[in-house]
Amino acid sequence: MKTETIEILCCPVCRGGDLELIATETVETESGATDIITGILRCGACGIDYPITEGGIPNLLPPENTPDQ
Ligand SMILES: [Zn+2]
């Protein structure tokens, strides 16, 4: 996931919170951009952490909303 992608993402819970990137593993691409492999996106408004899993896929599912209730 590219760092610029964060600017178009917003928190699905409060729909207004800015997401703060806490990257734990990054690589530099050929163009010099930073690509995030794993890390956390934290909503500054409601404080929920969304994991960025192996491969750079952000999981923006609200943690308390499980689909099979
Ligand atoms: Zn939020």
Side-chain angles (χ1 to χ4, degrees):
M1 187 182 94
K2 301 288 187 295
T3 50
E4 309 94 78
T5 309
I6 295 156
E7 294 172 19
I8 60 169
L9 296 174
C10 68
C11 176
V13 173
C14 62
R15 299 188 183 276
D18 286 330
L19 295 175
E20 177 194 357
L21 172 68
I22 303 159
T24 52
E25 190 181 354
T26 61
V27 292
E28 194 167 312
T29 63
E30 293 168 15
S31 58
T34 301
D35 204 356
I36 300 138
I37 307 300
T38 58
I40 290 167
L41 289 171
R42 175 169 293 164
C43 175
C46 58
I48 295 175
D49 287 346
Y50 300 99
I52 303 167
T53 53
E54 196 75 41
I57 315 279
N59 180 359
L60 290 173
L61 291 175
E64 67 268 42
N65 267 352
T66 50
D68 51 350
Q69 277 182 358

